[in-house]
Amino acid sequence: MPTILITGANRGIGLELARQYAKADWRVIATARAVAPATELASVAQQHSNLSIDPLDVTDNDAIAALSKKHREPLDVLLNNAGWLGDPRKQGLGELDAKVFETVMRTNAYAPLAMARAFLPQIEASAQKNIVVLTSGLSSLANTRNFGNLYFYRMSKAAANMAMRALQADLRAKGIEVGILAPGIVDTRLLRQSGWTGEALDPETSAAGVIRNIARLKGQDPQIHLYSGDAVPW
Ligand SMILES: NC(=O)c1ccc[n+]([C@@H]2O[C@H](COP(=O)([O-])OP(=O)(O)OC[C@H]3O[C@@H](n4cnc5c(N)ncnc54)[C@H](OP(=O)(O)O)[C@@H]3O)[C@@H](O)[C@H]2O)c1
């Protein structure tokens, strides 16, 4: 039974990823910033004994170290899903709030790298050896040429892309594959907070695509891949 660790698994795309991997008989370590008994994630854990829940705030380095100490077993996939949009009104030309910048960057760009470093021995010891980050199409310099606003979120995802690319260069010799995957425009709290009112995918479709892409990670130079499998230009 392969093992996956998913951050931010209590709602949105992370919850759906946890549910689908559990159904597919993976051992799932689902982490959530706040662990409560009466949540959707708790009910997934009740239905699937192969899913367990650990508390984790990804901006807390001590908590990351403690979790890595607790789970010493081989880790086939580290899936950095947790993400923070930040208040859109505080990351535009109206107002640039440095505290919001710090939280967004810390959560979206620093945390995936810190998680990868902390779990490296477990990833190396596994069969599949994958490190994945959920990026965003909004990180693409090419695709968002004429689109303003959401500065911090977009900067943080572009930074996460670069962190993963550098990580791939450092880790390829160990047989580790890094994935930079964009889930598409998905109907979640994060999307609603962004103010988007157009069409959106359901989390089930997006998560299924992300899972297919993770299964295909083999020997490629890391590139942003959409849930559909299409490459997104940097
Ligand atoms: N939805 C989209 O259209 C879209 C598009 C492109 C990329 N993405 C990316 O996909 C990922 C999942 O987003 P989503 O759409 O599912 O958003 P969501 O429903 O808002 O869920 C975000 C998740 O991240 C968790 N999180 C945030 N900060 C955290 C922290 N410091 N420590 C631990 N967990 C934290 C949240 O936990 P709490 O419940 O505790 O807040 C929640 O579980 C994110 O990385 C996002 O940037 C989403």
Side-chain angles (χ1 to χ4, degrees):
M1 196 187 250
T3 300
I4 184 163
L5 187 156
I6 305 171
T7 61
N10 55 304
R11 62 184 164 95
I13 301 165
L15 174 64
E16 191 50 39
L17 286 164
R19 197 194 319 265
Q20 291 191 23
Y21 272 111
K23 264 196 187 162
D25 284 335
W26 281 60
R27 155 107 182 86
V28 181
I29 303 167
T31 75
R33 181 153 50 168
V35 174
T39 60
E40 268 196 82
L41 181 59
S43 82
V44 177
Q46 269 166 11
Q47 289 158 25
H48 299 279
S49 58
N50 49 322
L51 183 147
S52 62
I53 305 172
D54 282 285
L56 180 68
D57 181 330
V58 298
T59 64
D60 181 342
N61 273 345
D62 293 341
I64 292 176
L67 193 70
S68 171
K69 247 187 175 171
K70 176 178 172 188
H71 289 289
R72 292 206 174 276
E73 63 272 30
L75 181 60
D76 291 274
V77 180
L78 167 64
L79 180 35
N80 291 292
N81 162 79
W84 195 242
L85 181 74
D87 186 338
R89 293 163 304 181
K90 298 190 171 176
Q91 49 183 314
L93 291 181
E95 186 184 351
L96 287 173
D97 184 325
K99 280 222 156 56
V100 174
F101 176 79
E102 281 160 22
T103 307
V104 171
M105 287 300 273
R106 179 81 189 224
T107 308
N108 298 346
Y110 177 83
L113 195 55
M115 286 292 291
R117 183 167 177 270
F119 282 91
L120 207 48
Q122 293 91 320
I123 295 161
E124 243 188 290
S126 75
Q128 198 163 315
K129 299 184 178 47
N130 291 156
I131 298 170
V132 175
V133 74
L134 283 203
T135 186
S136 163
L138 290 178
S139 71
S140 163
L141 302 181
N143 274 7
T144 59
R145 197 176 284 127
N146 297 316
F147 177 83
N149 216 345
L150 286 179
Y151 287 24
F152 302 159
Y153 181 72
R154 295 167 61 184
M155 291 162 77
S156 72
K157 291 295 187 178
N161 296 346
M162 182 54 87
M164 292 299 119
R165 205 164 155 99
L167 202 58
Q168 181 68 89
D170 274 338
L171 300 180
R172 172 133 294 148
K174 295 182 191 290
I176 293 174
E177 299 285 346
V178 173
I180 307 173
L181 304 180
I185 298 174
V186 191
D187 184 15
T188 64
R189 196 185 299 175
L190 183 144
L191 187 72
R192 290 188 286 275
Q193 197 192 352
S194 76
W196 175 261
T197 52
E199 281 189 22
L201 294 167
D202 54 80
E204 293 81 359
T205 306
S206 169
V210 167
I211 291 171
R212 262 195 314 277
N213 285 338
I214 292 174
R216 281 187 203 137
L217 289 175
K218 272 202 180 55
Q220 309 156 346
D221 209 16
Q223 171 69 39
I224 308 172
H225 280 105
L226 203 54
Y227 76 98
S228 58
D230 295 340
V232 179
W234 297 112

